[in-house]
Amino acid sequence: MDHDSVASPPTARAERQLGSGLALFIAVGTSLLLATSAGLTMKFASERTGELAARERRVHATTAEIRYLDEVLTMSANMAAATGEARWKRRYDAHVERLDRAIKELRAVAPLLFDREVGQDTDAANVRLVAMESRAFDLVDANRSADARAILDGAEYARDKELYAEGNRRAQQALIEWAAEANASVERWVAALAALSAGLGIVTAIAWVLFSRATRDERARLELEHERERRHAEEAANRAKSQFIAHMSHELRTPLTAILGYADLLRENDSDAETERRIAAETIHRNGDHLLAIINDILDVSKIEAGAMTVESVEVDLVELVHDVVELLGGRAKAKGIDLVREWASPVPRRVSTDPLRLRQILINLLGNAIKFTERGRVRLRVEWKPGAGQKGWLSCEIEDSGIGMTPEQLAKLFKPFAQADGSMSRRFGGTGLGLTISRRLAELLGGEITVKSEPGRGSSFTCRVPVGSDSHEPLCTPDAALPRARRDDGDAPPLGSVDAATTSEALAAADVSRPLLGARILLAEDGRDNQRLISLMLRRAGAHVTVVDDGYAALAELEAQGELGASPVSSRFDLVLMDMQMPELDGYRATERLRATGSTLPVIALTANTMEGDRERCLAAGCSGYLSKPIDRQALLTECSTRIYASTPQPK
């Protein structure tokens, strides 16, 4: 027997066992190594993903801060040029240092976001902007606000602002691309490892599944957190903007009261010797009205964007509303030598249900724009009614002009806030660019729309379609045969307010027409010296006796001294209280509440610069009988005072 042949089988088995064991060892070892590598990779990817997300949030926050600070610097420079106040320079200096720090921080966090060309151009534009703004502040200090305004409105300043904004946009885009590439790199590495692990066993495959799920969940969590933070930041920005606008409205309306009021008083003198003073006064009043219109437009935009703008549905005389709008703008069209034509394309219901204030605002904006941009020819208002389902119908108002017209590019940005068709139009025709934005949003709130067609050199056509309610039993009328009702200006007309008509008519008839408050005794509570003098002068010229106090405590003390407190006052020295609602020590709200708590029914008219949603209701809830907003209109003041003084019905508590 061959011994070699006998030993062969055990040796082969041993070799196979050794090979199998070695293969198993290698397989197990490789699997363990890959599993360990997968675990380490999972940890690395999770940390890397978190690091990338944190850096991305930091860069987003820094770029948002840079945009905010840039807007603050621009606003501060413009406000300094407009008002000449030194506090805007201090605000500018405080924020320009923050802007420099924010730019340095952004470069430190993400140095690869800026290529050399973009970085140099952005830095150069920033340096030039700071230089021009500093120059504007120097001119303001030298009482050369017009020159400062020219710098800030100039083409060079606008070009550098665009360069600076473009640099920030490039940086933002680079950030997005950088983050996408970093995330893609991590995902590629994980996918490759998962493919290798799947080929060597279920352990590596399970590890890959767990890792992939953990990474996906972490990324989703980070994205959800980022979206939540972004929404919170947007909500905070909207609240801050609304608060800022409300504050600016109060600050601007208070001095406007004195400006417009004294202008009214100056315009009363008709003597030839006062011609120059009358021209100056009319200029003051015209510009004051323009500034007030701008403030109202800004407030409307703020209310719409914040979702605070509401509409109502009340019955209104449609024919009279359209007639009023055309009559209101007829003088403006006549002054430009153009025709303002009103056409009724169909019979209409005389009375409809809609929000007359908002519908009137839309028509005034659209017709006013058409007149402004038309040099010759005509502007036509074409009104059409189309019945709908039930008690609803569609009112279509088309405003067609023979003005300058617009290109498709200009139409694309027509309804954006603060925008006109191009920059030259703002210089040539003026305006904030808010009217069309407000009109479209109001039409949408009413459930309708505004569309436009235009050709350069051939004019434009704006069509406002809104749904309105109407009584299906009310016959349609031909407006040309149903002229608007005459104004209630005769002796039989009911007076303003909730008063007895006969009593009020007799009282007003007995009063001097030029002095409607003759003999009236009025207590004025107002802390502003200019407004004290102005309102007192208006009232005294109307024949009233006026007592002035500075705050709510002084008002209550004066009323108590004269025995006016209580449901049955000892004496009746005062006929009326004019109460400013923002005063030091004790404001008008608390003063009125304390007065009503004594049982007093003495009429109290609120004077306030707050005109936001709910401000009137807050004054009435405090116990005021009436409400007047600043700037104070003289005729509205005298009418409201006359109504309250001569009213025979009890005043609300």
Side-chain angles (χ1 to χ4, degrees):
M1 180 179 289
D2 189 350
H3 296 285
D4 292 336
S5 62
V6 173
S8 172
T11 302
R13 280 198 305 272
E15 290 177 352
R16 286 196 297 271
Q17 289 175 353
L18 179 62
S20 298
L22 181 62
L24 179 61
F25 174 80
I26 293 174
V28 172
T30 303
S31 296
L32 290 174
L33 288 174
L34 288 174
T36 302
S37 176
L40 293 174
T41 303
M42 287 172 60
K43 181 179 179 182
F44 163 78
S46 178
E47 293 176 348
R48 181 62 174 166
T49 301
E51 179 186 348
L52 292 175
R55 180 179 291 188
E56 183 177 356
R57 288 197 304 272
R58 187 177 174 188
V59 172
H60 273 302
T62 306
T63 53
E65 183 181 12
I66 290 173
R67 288 195 300 272
Y68 164 76
L69 291 172
D70 180 57
E71 292 174 358
V72 170
L73 295 182
T74 301
M75 182 200 71
S76 298
N78 279 281
M79 289 301 294
T83 65
E85 295 177 356
R87 64 191 178 104
W88 296 107
K89 179 64 167 64
R90 294 193 297 272
R91 182 184 178 98
Y92 180 92
D93 291 339
H95 286 79
V96 75
E97 294 177 0
R98 287 179 56 190
L99 178 61
D100 291 337
R101 289 197 300 271
I103 292 174
K104 291 178 181 178
E105 181 182 356
L106 182 61
R107 292 183 181 275
V109 173
L112 298 180
L113 296 184
F114 301 88
D115 58 57
R116 178 182 297 274
E117 180 180 354
V118 172
Q120 290 177 348
D121 290 345
T122 305
D123 287 344
N126 186 38
V127 170
R128 290 193 297 271
L129 287 172
V130 172
M132 285 186 280
E133 288 162 350
S134 298
R135 174 59 179 161
F137 280 116
D138 291 339
L139 290 172
V140 170
D141 290 340
N143 293 325
R144 295 170 58 190
S145 296
D147 294 337
R149 202 54 270 155
I151 290 176
L152 299 177
D153 292 340
E156 182 179 359
Y157 185 84
R159 182 176 62 252
D160 285 336
K161 288 290 290 183
E162 181 59 29
L163 285 174
Y164 187 78
E166 178 61 24
N168 286 333
R169 286 194 293 269
R170 291 279 295 277
Q172 190 75 10
Q173 183 61 34
L175 166 66
I176 295 172
E177 295 172 358
W178 166 75
E181 180 59 29
N183 286 333
S185 177
V186 172
E187 291 174 353
R188 286 194 298 269
W189 172 257
V190 173
L193 179 63
L196 290 174
S197 298
L200 293 174
I202 192 170
V203 174
T204 308
I206 292 175
W208 159 245
V209 170
L210 294 176
F211 165 75
S212 178
R213 181 178 300 170
T215 303
R216 185 172 60 252
D217 291 345
E218 177 67 8
R219 186 181 299 113
R221 186 188 66 80
L222 290 174
E223 291 176 351
L224 182 61
E225 182 180 346
H226 176 67
E227 177 64 21
R228 187 162 49 244
E229 291 176 352
R230 185 187 65 79
R231 286 200 305 269
H232 288 167
E234 289 180 351
E235 291 169 0
N238 285 335
R239 287 194 299 270
K241 180 173 65 176
S242 295
Q243 292 169 359
F244 170 78
I245 290 176
H247 175 71
M248 290 305 298
S249 171
H250 180 273
E251 291 297 316
L252 291 173
R253 284 175 181 271
T254 297
L256 273 174
T257 297
I259 294 173
L260 297 180
Y262 277 111
D264 263 340
L265 296 176
L266 285 172
R267 291 195 302 175
E268 287 181 355
N269 195 327
D270 294 327
S271 66
D272 294 337
E274 298 294 329
T275 300
E276 293 185 0
R277 291 180 59 196
R278 282 174 52 76
I279 292 174
E282 289 170 358
T283 302
I284 292 172
H285 198 277
R286 183 173 60 255
N287 285 276
D289 282 339
H290 176 64
L291 181 57
L292 182 58
I294 292 174
I295 295 172
N296 288 334
D297 281 350
I298 293 174
L299 286 174
D300 281 345
V301 169
S302 174
K303 290 178 185 177
I304 291 171
E305 290 185 351
M309 177 70 77
T310 59
V311 296
E312 60 180 354
S313 180
V314 298
E315 192 174 83
V316 61
D317 188 319
L318 175 62
V319 179
E320 185 172 353
L321 186 148
V322 172
H323 175 79
D324 285 347
V325 171
V326 174
E327 288 294 310
L328 177 66
L329 298 175
R332 192 185 305 179
K334 184 177 181 181
K336 292 191 68 173
I338 61 178
D339 295 327
L340 179 56
V341 180
R342 175 186 57 214
E343 293 183 3
W344 302 91
S346 67
V348 298
R350 182 65 187 244
R351 306 196 67 80
V352 298
S353 296
T354 185
D355 189 322
L357 177 64
R358 303 307 175 193
L359 180 57
R360 176 186 174 93
Q361 187 174 357
I362 292 171
L363 293 180
I364 289 175
N365 280 341
L366 295 180
L367 275 173
N369 252 25
I371 293 171
K372 178 167 66 174
F373 291 105
T374 301
E375 299 290 349
R376 62 180 64 87
R378 72 170 188 172
V379 173
R380 183 185 68 168
L381 169 60
R382 184 175 181 272
V383 183
E384 184 177 6
W385 160 264
K386 292 184 178 179
Q391 293 187 337
K392 286 286 186 180
W394 287 91
L395 177 66
S396 175
C397 299
E398 180 185 7
I399 291 86
E400 182 182 73
D401 64 63
S402 57
I404 59 178
M406 290 170 284
T407 65
E409 293 77 14
Q410 292 169 337
L411 286 173
K413 58 181 181 180
L414 185 63
F415 291 98
K416 294 181 180 179
F418 300 99
Q420 288 186 331
D422 60 45
S424 62
M425 286 189 178
S426 181
R427 294 188 298 272
R428 180 180 174 190
F429 295 101
T432 62
L434 291 173
L436 289 178
T437 300
I438 294 171
S439 297
R440 169 172 275 189
R441 302 292 281 275
L442 289 178
E444 292 170 351
L445 285 174
L446 291 173
E449 63 178 357
I450 292 179
T451 57
V452 57
K453 296 183 293 184
S454 184
E455 292 184 35
R458 303 192 63 176
S460 304
S461 175
F462 288 81
T463 302
C464 173
R465 275 184 88 245
V466 292
V468 295
S470 67
D471 187 347
S472 58
H473 299 295
E474 180 175 348
L476 302 181
C477 70
T478 302
D480 290 336
L483 295 178
R485 296 179 179 90
R487 297 293 182 271
R488 301 180 183 269
D489 55 2
D490 54 85
D492 298 328
L496 295 174
S498 177
V499 300
D500 179 76
T503 302
T504 304
S505 296
E506 293 171 3
L508 292 177
D512 187 340
V513 175
S514 64
R515 307 183 74 194
L517 301 179
L518 186 62
R521 296 154 300 179
I522 297 176
L523 175 63
L524 170 62
E526 162 69 58
D527 62 309
R529 297 300 179 189
D530 287 338
N531 287 337
Q532 284 180 355
R533 289 191 293 268
L534 170 64
I535 298 173
S536 297
L537 183 57
M538 287 179 175
L539 296 173
R540 289 183 179 123
R541 285 193 175 184
H545 301 286
V546 184
T547 301
V548 180
V549 294
D550 293 328
D551 58 59
Y553 283 125
L556 291 176
E558 182 68 25
L559 291 171
E560 183 177 11
Q562 301 302 325
E564 291 281 3
L565 301 184
S568 300
V570 177
S571 63
S572 183
R573 178 182 176 187
F574 294 112
D575 300 304
L576 177 75
V577 178
L578 287 172
M579 184 78 73
D580 183 24
M581 306 312 284
Q582 289 84 31
M583 293 185 292
E585 304 297 336
L586 183 69
D587 63 26
Y589 298 102
R590 292 182 293 165
T592 305
E593 289 170 353
R594 294 187 184 187
L595 175 63
R596 295 306 184 211
T598 70
S600 173
T601 59
L602 185 66
V604 178
I605 298 177
L607 303 178
T608 177
N610 292 332
T611 59
M612 299 295 282
E613 186 82 16
D615 286 326
R616 181 179 186 278
E617 289 72 17
R618 184 185 174 196
C619 293
L620 298 181
C624 294
S625 314
Y627 168 92
L628 289 172
S629 64
K630 296 179 180 179
I632 299 297
D633 179 80
R634 183 171 61 91
Q635 190 56 50
L637 172 67
L638 300 183
T639 299
E640 184 71 11
C641 289
S642 299
T643 299
R644 298 298 171 186
I645 289 173
Y646 295 122
S648 61
T649 56
Q651 301 298 325
K653 295 182 180 180

